[in-house]
Amino acid sequence: MQIIIVGGGKTGSHLAARLTDDGAAVTVIEQRSERAERLRASCPAATVIEGSGADPQVLERAGIHMVDAVAAVTGEDEVNLVVSLLAKMEFSVPRVVARVNSPANAWMFTPANGVDVGVNQAEITARFILEGMNARDVYTLMRLGRDDHRIVQATVAPGSRVAGCALRDITFPDETIVVGVDHGGALAVPNGDTVLSPGDEAVLFTTDEGTDELRRLFS
């Protein structure tokens, strides 16, 4: 996988190290010379280009025509939006992820502005707090696409409606699929005969509405 990261600060440098460790070919665009030099020293596996990621010529020099994803993670929302627009609209990059620095600007980080995923740290923190308070052993692992689908993990509570039941005998919400069951640390792909025991953790594909019903089933 080939990835361009725009912004070589703390977020960008950590992201570059993480992705190169996973085997990705990473190019970082950083405007400040001192940051670029530090990044070359701390992450030699990444290619570092000095320049503005909001400059189409710099993006072309970084090989944007060939990349699978662009991550705009500078400390300026305006720059991240310009990078996203260029990446998606001008260069048709398949996946564009942008950092949201100010929660007040989150409404702009949408597919209409070239952003596939806007990473709003304030919103993510709030969601984890609220889901942690209300989850009752069901919490979201990942949201999928731009609709209401998600992957959730649910723990089977003693005395719940699903405890001791085979999957074929449980009436799950519409558009819900059990994709894995962890029983005592052993994760397995389930079938209709799989029985859910108290303490088991199930991984399910579902919807926002289905998540509420799963909380009732598993608690």
Side-chain angles (χ1 to χ4, degrees), residues 190-210:
N191 55 44
D193 295 325
T194 301
V195 175
L196 296 179
S197 302
D200 284 355
E201 294 182 343
V203 179
L204 307 98
F205 171 88
T206 190
T207 62
D208 287 346
E209 183 178 352

Side-chain angles (χ1 to χ4, degrees), residues 12 14 25 28 32 38 44 62 64 78 80 91-93 98 118-119 129-130 148 155 157 179 184 194 213:
H14 178 81
V28 182
R32 300 182 186 181
R38 284 199 300 268
I64 195 169
E78 297 84 355
N80 293 342
F91 299 108
S92 300
V93 175
V119 182
I129 292 171
L130 292 172
D148 64 349
T155 302
V179 296
T194 301
E213 176 60 24

Side-chain angles (χ1 to χ4, degrees), residues 30-159:
E30 170 52 50
Q31 196 163 16
R32 300 182 186 181
S33 297
E34 64 276 13
R35 280 188 178 177
E37 287 303 318
R38 284 199 300 268
L39 188 55
R40 290 188 181 101
S42 64
C43 188
T47 299
V48 180
I49 294 177
E50 291 184 36
S52 171
D55 184 338
Q57 293 184 339
V58 174
L59 291 171
E60 288 183 334
R61 185 153 55 93
I64 195 169
H65 289 291
M66 301 179 292
V67 301
D68 302 292
V70 166
V73 296
T74 77
E76 299 181 24
D77 287 342
E78 297 84 355
V79 173
N80 293 342
L81 279 170
V82 171
V83 171
S84 298
L85 276 167
L86 286 170
K88 183 63 70 174
M89 307 304 179
E90 181 71 20
F91 299 108
S92 300
V93 175
R95 186 74 164 169
V96 178
V97 178
R99 173 186 177 186
V100 182
N101 294 280
S102 172
N105 294 332
W107 65 274
M108 294 186 289
F109 286 74
T110 65
N113 287 327
V115 181
D116 293 309
V117 179
V119 182
N120 181 349
Q121 293 176 328
E123 176 62 25
I124 292 170
T125 301
R127 185 180 300 166
F128 272 113
I129 292 171
L130 292 172
E131 288 198 0
M133 293 173 66
N134 299 311
R136 299 203 304 274
D137 296 327
V138 177
Y139 61 92
T140 301
L141 296 174
M142 180 185 299
R143 287 184 175 272
L144 301 174
R146 299 166 188 163
D147 53 18
D148 64 349
H149 290 88
R150 59 174 72 182
I151 296 175
V152 302
Q153 181 170 308
T155 302
V156 180

